[in-house]
Amino acid sequence: MNTAHRPLVTIGIPTYNRADGYLREVLECVLAQTYPNIEVVVADNGSTDNTGSVVQSYGDSRIKYFRHNPPLKPNDNFNFCLSQASGVYFQLLHDDDLIDQDFVESCMRAAEYRADVGLIRTGARIIDAQGATLSELRNSSGGLSTGEFFLSWLESQTWMFLSSILFNTARLREIGGFHSRHQLFQDVLAEFQLAAKYGRIDVPDVKASFRKHGSQNTGTVRLGHWCEDSILLLQTMCALAPEQRDLILRKGREHFAKHNYDLALSIRSPIDRYRAYLFIYRAFDYAYSPLRYFSAKAYRGIFTWLGWVRRTMQG
């Protein structure tokens, strides 16, 4: 296909103050894309670091730079990036995540450069603060029905990271962009809605990186908000795949109960933590008990320890 006729892809980068300074690395991987038809929207959310000068140092006409002062709420900045997108497809790339140089090309080639796909996904890797790979997972969701796709996510057989996804821009705007009750599962909610309503293309290869590091603050959010957003997402999944509603509901209650038990582990007070466990147990209709959760953790811990012992003995 002629380069001029390839759909434009917008990569939106909402930026924040980061002492660890990943922005230059992110911009370099974006500007090095082998796909020729991209634009980059950088939304500087009132930063007091050198974000503006870093962006301007590239002098690249594909970059559109905006600055919010005073800063917006994080999710409002996500949707601002979407509002400024001219591309047929849109990626929201956090300012510490990365994409391989052929990420966009791989996605568009798999979609045969069509402009009507709801969602295009690749496999992903998890990296640490220094960029070393901690784990990776190929995208094995190709050919799955909507319900099977949801179940594969609930069973951790596929990952949903923003860095590994292209959204259909018009369709994402139609559903109101990124939003949920407490803006905690807003990305997954949008991903599932577009995949169910407008179809998806799955690229098996690992082409994107999600960075896991200490500056993430998931555990500081109120547990009740996490439970409410979890229930909203589960209800939406059941509505989008009614033919497998009962299985999704059962698996989903277990999945989200475990997710919220994990968050409750950060509560310092033993009494408050115990109350949180009971709250979560009730919130998900007593589907997955705290006792079962801790038994499973202990079981995994034993096998992890035995594996360490075996590797140590083998030298």
Side-chain angles (χ1 to χ4, degrees):
M1 176 181 288
N2 188 294
T3 297
H5 296 136
R6 292 187 181 185
L8 178 66
V9 174
T10 300
I11 300 175
I13 307 175
T15 72
Y16 309 91
N17 285 319
R18 287 193 186 274
D20 33 29
Y22 294 117
L23 180 58
R24 190 174 294 277
E25 185 181 6
V26 174
L27 283 171
E28 287 177 358
C29 78
V30 168
L31 296 175
Q33 288 299 296
T34 58
Y35 188 79
N37 205 9
I38 68 167
E39 69 170 4
V40 184
V41 173
V42 179
D44 179 351
N45 206 24
S47 64
T48 55
D49 55 16
N50 62 343
T51 293
S53 59
V54 168
V55 174
Q56 292 167 10
S57 70
Y58 285 91
D60 195 308
S61 61
R62 294 174 295 176
I63 301 177
K64 298 194 295 187
Y65 174 72
F66 302 89
R67 176 176 169 81
H68 305 303
N69 199 5
L72 304 178
K73 293 180 179 179
N75 195 68
D76 290 342
N77 200 23
F78 299 166
N79 286 315
F80 174 82
C81 288
L82 175 63
S83 74
Q84 298 302 313
S86 303
V88 173
Y89 290 99
F90 172 77
Q91 180 186 37
L92 185 68
L93 185 66
H94 288 305
D95 64 350
D96 56 348
D97 292 341
L98 301 172
I99 51 177
D100 294 2
Q101 292 185 7
D102 61 345
F103 168 78
V104 177
E105 177 61 46
S106 298
C107 290
M108 297 309 301
R109 186 171 59 247
E112 298 179 337
Y113 307 100
R114 290 162 45 198
D116 61 345
V117 181
L119 202 72
I120 310 173
R121 313 172 58 246
T122 76
R125 67 182 68 84
I126 298 175
I127 60 176
D128 65 13
Q130 290 72 44
T133 298
L134 300 175
S135 58
E136 66 178 35
L137 185 66
R138 285 173 60 84
N139 177 15
S140 59
S141 299
L144 297 182
S145 68
T146 296
E148 290 168 339
F149 174 49
F150 292 170
L151 289 167
S152 71
W153 180 72
L154 291 172
E155 295 169 350
S156 300
Q157 295 173 359
T158 194
W159 291 339
M160 300 295 286
F161 294 136
L162 282 167
S163 57
S164 63
I165 293 173
L166 288 184
F167 297 89
N168 186 295
T169 307
R171 298 306 189 187
L172 182 56
R173 286 172 177 159
E174 282 178 15
I175 65 169
F178 301 102
H179 64 89
S180 64
R181 189 167 298 151
H182 299 291
Q183 316 304 353
L184 297 171
F185 275 122
Q186 72 273 42
D187 52 344
V188 182
L189 194 63
E191 290 154 11
F192 283 168
Q193 287 177 296
L194 292 195
K197 294 179 180 179
Y198 306 111
R200 69 180 198 280
I201 297 291
D202 289 291
V203 179
D205 297 333
V206 174
K207 295 293 179 182
S209 300
F210 167 79
R211 194 182 302 267
K212 185 176 182 179
H213 53 80
S215 63
Q216 288 154 336
N217 62 354
T218 297
T220 65
V221 179
R222 287 182 58 187
L223 189 61
H225 290 177
W226 271 111
C227 287
E228 288 181 11
D229 260 25
S230 299
I231 292 169
L232 171 62
L233 178 56
L234 181 55
Q235 290 172 341
T236 302
M237 294 164 70
C238 290
L240 291 171
E243 71 284 353
Q244 291 188 279
R245 177 189 180 279
D246 291 345
L247 185 56
I248 291 172
L249 189 61
R250 179 169 62 82
K251 294 283 187 180
R253 284 170 175 164
E254 294 182 4
H255 171 88
F256 290 114
K258 287 187 282 187
H259 171 79
N260 285 281
Y261 287 144
D262 284 342
L263 296 178
L265 289 173
S266 64
I267 298 175
R268 293 184 178 181
S269 165
I271 295 176
D272 289 342
R273 195 162 58 246
Y274 174 75
R275 289 173 177 166
Y277 296 148
L278 292 181
F279 173 81
I280 296 166
Y281 190 30
R282 288 194 298 268
F284 295 99
D285 294 329
Y286 306 96
Y288 195 87
S289 72
L291 179 61
R292 185 177 168 192
Y293 168 76
F294 282 108
S295 296
K297 281 184 69 70
Y299 184 78
R300 290 193 300 269
I302 291 172
F303 273 86
T304 299
W305 178 79
L306 289 174
W308 175 84
V309 170
R310 184 178 62 184
R311 290 191 299 272
T312 301
M313 294 178 65
Q314 291 174 345

